[in-house]
Amino acid sequence: MAAGIARDPIPARARMVRQLAAEGITDPRVLRAMSAVERHRFVETGLAPQAYEDTALPIGLGQTISKPSVVARMLELLVQGGVQGADGRLGRVLDIGTGSGYQAVVLSHLAAEVYSIERLRDLHEKARVNLRPLRIPNIHLILGDGMVGFAKGEPYAGIVAAAGGDALPSAWIDQLAEGGRIVAPIVASGAAQLLMVVDKTRAGIVQTVLEPVKFVPLKSGIA
Ligand code: SAH
């Protein structure tokens, strides 16, 4: 496992969270979740000193762990839109692109159940290893093609994707609960991506296009 630095660098993480708040993340649930998760456990040992900087880092196989500010932004959009229980948590959520497992762990603080799907076997296995010592009961790791969603967990209160394709897979909309929200990057033109929010309302699908983002491509099939 990526053991990270020997001791938990609590001050570095607190600084990261203060910076997130200063840059406009206001939801206390999201800020609490970001302070609870030890990001340095999810990057290679040599990169652990950079774990609390606002930067994407390589996690192997050409993939990256997203910047903390992007994770916080997307999860804030998700919790503010999706169907919430009385405890202020989302119900079941689908996390597309497990990668290191970091975002799934942040989500486990914000949702009742997290289904996290990864198409690359090696990363799926690595996420398992990263998660094992944390013993988190409400995360389900799945090896599979997230473009078809994960029907066993539907309907989802929220779906969040860490990889961007040309269009939103229709399975995501099908598997979303009424009142639920999708937060995902979408390729706008050429290689440029935009962050998109999709709400499934009683009256229909409402799409909101937000700021430019940069994610790895959404690919089909398992490898
Ligand atoms: N959320 C991750 C970030 C991973 S990067 C983290 O916190 O570390 C995005 C991941 O999406 C990559 O691992 C990539 O393999 C995966 N991915 C791309 N297309 C996919 C698909 N169709 N289904 C599942 N995972 C996919």
Side-chain angles (χ1 to χ4, degrees):
M1 92 173 238
I5 23 196
R7 274 192 296 146
D8 180 13
I10 296 170
R13 192 160 57 253
R15 203 178 315 122
M16 174 192 86
V17 174
R18 279 199 303 276
Q19 196 182 329
L20 293 174
E23 286 167 7
I25 301 296
T26 57
D27 194 298
R29 294 166 293 182
V30 174
L31 293 170
R32 261 199 309 273
M34 296 295 293
S35 6
V37 185
E38 301 177 6
R39 191 171 184 261
H40 66 277
R41 287 175 174 268
F42 298 85
V43 301
E44 299 302 330
T45 312
L47 295 172
Q50 285 163 261
Y52 297 103
E53 290 171 18
D54 194 22
T55 171
L57 294 169
I59 53 173
L61 300 170
Q63 309 303 320
T64 53
I65 180 173
S66 313
K67 279 159 76 148
S69 59
V70 170
V71 172
R73 165 81 168 139
M74 291 178 84
L75 298 189
E76 183 167 70
L77 287 165
L78 197 72
V79 293
Q80 290 181 346
V83 201
Q84 292 169 23
D87 59 358
R89 289 205 305 178
L90 294 167
R92 286 191 303 277
V93 297
L94 180 61
D95 176 48
I96 315 270
T98 310
S100 67
Y102 171 72
Q103 179 165 291
V105 176
V106 180
L107 262 174
S108 74
H109 291 260
L110 301 168
E113 298 292 333
V114 180
Y115 291 84
S116 183
I117 188 161
E118 171 59 54
R119 65 178 288 273
L120 298 177
R121 196 177 297 271
D122 286 359
L123 281 180
H124 166 77
E125 291 302 333
K126 209 165 168 183
R128 260 196 200 299
V129 171
N130 287 343
L131 262 60
R132 195 165 295 138
L134 306 177
R135 299 172 181 277
I136 301 170
N138 62 334
I139 300 185
H140 313 278
L141 295 182
I142 302 135
L143 174 67
D145 180 359
M147 284 181 86
V148 298
F150 183 63
K152 284 188 190 149
E154 70 166 315
Y156 295 102
I159 298 178
V160 60
D166 295 335
L168 209 67
S170 57
W172 298 0
I173 294 178
D174 295 343
Q175 293 174 16
L176 191 65
E178 189 178 293
R181 172 173 278 192
I182 299 171
V183 181
I186 292 290
V187 176
S189 60
Q193 295 173 341
L194 294 169
L195 188 59
M196 191 148 95
V197 166
V198 177
D199 289 312
K200 192 173 192 173
T201 73
R202 190 171 272 204
I205 300 298
V206 179
Q207 300 194 4
T208 313
V209 175
L210 301 165
E211 68 270 18
V213 283
K214 202 166 185 302
F215 281 88
V216 296
L218 184 70
K219 293 187 176 168
S220 63
I222 299 174

